[in-house]
Amino acid sequence: MSTPLLKLEAVHTHIGAYHILHGVDLEVAHGELTVLLGRNGAGKTTTLRTIMGLWHPSAGRVLFDGEDLGALGTPEIAHRGISYVPENMGIFAELTVAENMLLAARGAKRPEDIDPKRLEWVFGLFPALKRFWQHPAGLLSGGQKQMVAVARAIIEPRKLLLIDEPSKGLAPAIIQNMVEAFRELKRTDTTILLVEQNFNFARQLGDRVAVMDDGRVVHAGTMAALAGDEGLQQQLLGLSLAAHQ
Amino acid sequence: MKPSVPAAPALDALPAVRPDRVPLMLLPVLVLAALPLTGSLSTWVTLTFAGLAMGMIIFIIASGLTLVFGLMDVLNFGHGVFITLGAFLATAVLGRMTGWTESESLTRNLAAVLPAMLAAVVVAGLVGLAFERLIIRPVYGQPLKQIMITMGGMIVGVELIKVVWGPQAIPLPLPAAFRGSFLFGEAAVEKYRLIAVVVGLAVFGAMSWVLGRTKVGLLIRAGVQDREMVESLGYRIGRLFVGVFVAGSALAGLGGVMWGLYQQSVTPEMGGQINVLLFIVIIIGGMGSVGGCFIGALLVGLISNYAGFLAPKVALFSNILLMVAVLLWRPQGLYSVVKR
Ligand SMILES: Nc1ncnc2c1ncn2[C@@H]1O[C@H](COP(=O)(O)OP(=O)(O)OP(=O)(O)O)[C@@H](O)[C@H]1O
Ligand SMILES: [Mg+2]
């Protein structure tokens, strides 16, 4: 693998008195989609939040394009070219879909200022957005909100997308729409770090995979290798199934 | 907007956009309900305008406070000091311009009052900037300390005001052209109350425009809902907060001038006295909601005046009763916007 776009080296994160990440090592290669798997409570969300500067690492380094993000604030990290779709989607319910999108288009003062070509492309991925453009985002269904959240992350080109469980609670039809959208996104050469629990969804998209457990990355490799090795799946993911029964 | 292709209804079903107007309806309901109770049309008109004027001034003062809480969960119990500061600055400016304030010419009166308001806005804004740096910033995210240190900040501020202007009340007479009343049939409406209503509406209009039509306003509305997400999108919410704090302090200074003119007298304690009312208003309105603050302030102003006339014994706690009633109906206040 060439020099990775994002590299976590022995990252520890504390939330208050709790020691959550116990030395996470993770590499995300340029132009690839890396899936982060792991059981509930493994530390996936905490890893994304640490990258985004919403928690600060207590030890270790978060290197993005060679620069250590550890001491930067969240807005500065966003300005380095990282966008983030949180687990709860972070939709501004009281604002319209248009206003939600406008916030993500940093240079635009009004919705009309959003790059029309890019917007058409996003509408192509998620046609529902166009229809609900002027509606308060809080009135949308869960799947539609997820589309707004992802659309917001890509309305301007970014170097890296961090996406936390986009398939959570979505109907199969909408999940398939998401898969298609991510496939299209991959064609634009965007680097993506995707947290998923839904292995079926992850398998369709991932180039590489990392599996977390108990605040550490316990396996890293190609998706192809994991998808083709039922024993390994059993060991890594079956184990996780058993763990939260 | 019509869908170009008919798609599966389950995916597209969306309730019609229906803004919540029920809280707004409380105002006409209250005003109309007061008519038979007051017994006379002219008393009713007078009380209603008194209530609206008081409500508008309270709104001008409280609007910044609700946004300051909405954006950063900051409870500023020192907000009242900006009211007192604005009012005393007005006595200083207008006291030196008695030639103009006593003139019957409206232009000359305005030429005295507008600089007084400007001075209050600018100085209160600057003091607000220092207040945020020195008093609020060290206690971000620590509510208990915030309450104590902002109260302490106000006590210190009031003492400093006493050092400059003395502890006693200072008269702040209305300029000549603002005195007296307009007569509508039997009913007399004091001119200054009408002016207060107009200024209040102008402030509300300007604020609605900024919040609704500009990117900064959009960021404020978004920040009140989810400040982490605003930061994740690349905006420094700290800077936004400082701006809102300064604007809120400046508006409290303006409100202080207007309240001082309304009372025609200014005391160092006036800010502290209104403080309680401010918190009642922003709790009624829903913490972080400017629209809710507007309705809450008018409700409080109206109820204070109606109750003061109808049942003076109840008047003292009529606003608390109003707050309890609203919270029983909507525990988050009239409009709930802060979702964390
Ligand atoms: N704000 C917090 N305060 C204290 N502990 C927390 C906090 N957030 C997360 N944790 C703990 O950190 C651990 C990792 O949580 P995290 O949300 O990162 O897991 P996850 O892998 O994303 O899980 P899930 O699949 O359920 O989303 C959990 O044990 C959780 O209880
Ligand atoms: Mg999670």
Side-chain angles (χ1 to χ4, degrees):
Chain A
M1 191 156 71
S2 60
T3 45
L5 179 63
L6 177 75
K7 187 171 186 198
L8 276 67
E9 294 177 349
V11 168
H12 289 253
T13 297
H14 285 78
I15 304 178
Y18 302 97
H19 193 171
I20 310 290
L21 298 187
H22 300 269
V24 172
D25 293 299
L26 179 69
E27 296 195 353
V28 176
H30 266 287
E32 289 193 345
L33 192 152
T34 303
V35 178
L36 196 55
L37 293 166
R39 64 179 176 87
N40 292 107
K44 307 179 296 292
T45 297
T46 306
T47 301
L48 292 195
R49 288 177 60 86
T50 303
I51 298 167
M52 208 56 214
L54 294 164
W55 303 127
H56 288 286
S58 43
R61 300 201 298 166
V62 178
L63 296 170
F64 179 69
D65 250 351
E67 180 190 16
D68 190 354
L69 301 181
L72 297 180
T74 301
E76 288 74 28
I77 291 172
H79 277 272
R80 297 297 189 274
I82 305 182
S83 55
Y84 176 48
V85 179
E87 198 167 6
N88 68 5
M89 302 182 280
I91 293 297
F92 302 110
E94 310 274 323
L95 307 184
T96 63
V97 172
E99 288 170 327
N100 269 275
M101 298 293 285
L102 176 58
L103 284 169
R106 285 188 206 125
K109 294 239 176 296
R110 292 161 305 153
E112 304 86 85
D113 302 335
I114 300 174
D115 177 13
K117 268 207 198 124
R118 186 86 180 175
L119 192 56
E120 274 312 310
W121 176 71
V122 170
F123 284 155
L125 298 179
F126 304 114
L129 296 193
K130 191 168 190 170
R131 224 159 16 246
F132 302 135
W133 193 237
Q134 296 295 349
H135 285 271
L139 295 183
L140 303 185
S141 72
Q144 292 160 347
K145 279 185 191 147
Q146 192 61 261
M147 292 176 191
V148 174
V150 174
R152 215 168 46 177
I154 60 175
I155 189 64
E156 286 183 342
R158 301 272 185 259
K159 291 183 193 156
L160 174 67
L161 305 191
L162 307 175
I163 309 181
D164 202 344
E165 292 203 54
S167 73
K168 197 164 143 186
L170 301 191
I174 305 185
I175 292 190
Q176 212 43 49
N177 184 333
M178 280 287 167
V179 170
E180 296 307 327
F182 283 120
R183 286 213 171 109
E184 170 66 26
L185 203 56
K186 284 179 70 173
R187 270 179 233 126
T188 65
D189 221 30
T190 312
T191 308
I192 303 174
L193 176 59
L194 179 72
V195 165
E196 257 308 328
Q197 301 249 33
N198 179 339
F199 187 62
N200 244 336
F201 180 82
R203 185 199 343 238
Q204 297 180 60
L205 292 166
D207 300 305
R208 286 175 182 278
V209 59
V211 182
M212 286 191 78
D213 197 25
D214 207 12
R216 286 181 191 84
V217 172
V218 293
H219 168 88
T222 65
M223 181 55 92
L226 182 61
D229 187 342
E230 295 223 353
L232 191 59
Q233 281 173 41
Q234 194 62 33
Q235 186 201 329
L236 292 169
L237 308 169
L239 173 137
S240 70
L241 274 180
H244 62 89
Q245 260 163 13
Chain B
M1 264 193 304
K2 274 185 184 168
S4 46
V5 275
L11 270 175
D12 296 350
L14 195 70
V17 187
R18 221 181 298 125
D20 179 11
R21 299 223 184 278
V22 179
L24 194 59
M25 294 310 294
L26 291 178
L27 288 171
V29 167
L30 173 65
V31 169
L32 289 178
L35 177 57
L37 293 175
T38 46
S40 112
L41 190 65
S42 65
T43 314
W44 176 73
V45 170
T46 306
L47 288 174
T48 302
F49 270 93
L52 289 176
M54 179 177 163
M56 290 291 182
I57 298 174
I58 294 173
F59 164 71
I60 292 173
I61 295 169
S63 54
L65 195 60
T66 199
L67 284 178
V68 157
F69 177 82
L71 268 182
M72 290 300 244
D73 294 347
V74 167
L75 281 169
N76 178 15
F77 281 90
H79 199 61
V81 78
F82 302 109
I83 305 170
T84 314
L85 180 62
F88 274 94
L89 283 164
T91 64
V93 175
L94 294 179
R96 284 176 179 72
M97 302 179 90
T98 41
W100 291 32
T101 55
E102 291 307 314
S103 150
E104 294 293 325
S105 145
L106 179 63
T107 335
R108 291 197 152 201
N109 289 176
L110 286 176
V113 168
L114 292 181
M117 288 180 164
L118 190 68
V121 163
V122 170
V123 176
L126 288 175
V127 173
L129 188 65
F131 198 93
E132 196 277 335
R133 275 281 147 82
L134 301 175
I135 295 186
I136 307 277
R137 198 166 298 181
V139 291
Y140 273 152
Q142 304 173 61
L144 207 59
K145 286 189 183 169
Q146 258 167 27
I147 294 172
M148 294 198 291
I149 198 170
T150 53
M151 280 181 163
M154 175 147 115
I155 292 170
V156 173
V158 169
E159 290 307 313
L160 288 175
I161 286 170
K162 285 186 192 166
V163 169
V164 177
W165 282 287
Q168 74 290 359
I170 297 180
L172 184 61
L174 277 171
F178 293 16
R179 291 171 205 156
S181 307
F182 294 113
L183 280 179
F184 299 103
E186 297 260 289
V189 174
E190 283 180 27
K191 285 181 190 170
Y192 182 67
R193 290 180 180 164
L194 269 185
I195 294 172
V197 169
V198 170
V199 175
L201 284 175
V203 169
F204 181 62
M207 202 175 269
S208 304
W209 182 83
V210 170
L211 287 173
R213 297 265 179 268
T214 68
K215 183 104 180 217
V216 168
L218 182 59
L219 279 169
I220 293 171
R221 284 186 292 147
V224 168
Q225 291 172 56
D226 187 342
R227 88 183 151 237
E228 252 183 16
M229 197 60 220
V230 171
E231 296 217 284
S232 299
L233 289 169
Y235 303 95
R236 290 176 188 84
I237 203 126
R239 286 191 190 176
L240 197 64
F241 176 74
V242 173
V244 168
F245 195 92
V246 168
S249 309
L251 281 173
L254 173 65
V257 179
M258 299 194 58
W259 189 245
L261 285 170
Y262 193 72
Q263 307 275 33
Q264 307 215 26
S265 153
V266 162
T267 68
E269 289 76 32
M270 64 185 286
Q273 287 158 355
I274 305 177
N275 232 2
V276 182
L277 220 47
L278 302 182
F279 278 91
I280 292 178
V281 162
I282 66 176
I283 290 170
I284 288 176
M287 306 288 275
S289 162
V290 170
C293 175
F294 185 70
I295 298 173
L298 292 183
L299 287 175
V300 162
L302 288 167
I303 293 221
S304 301
N305 280 277
Y306 292 142
F309 175 79
L310 293 170
K313 281 187 186 149
V314 184
L316 274 176
F317 51 96
S318 62
N319 292 313
I320 307 230
L321 288 180
L322 172 68
M323 179 173 76
V324 171
V326 167
L327 293 185
L328 285 175
W329 173 45
R330 292 193 172 180
Q332 305 288 318
L334 296 177
Y335 292 106
S336 111
V337 284
V338 183
K339 295 192 183 84
R340 276 195 285 273

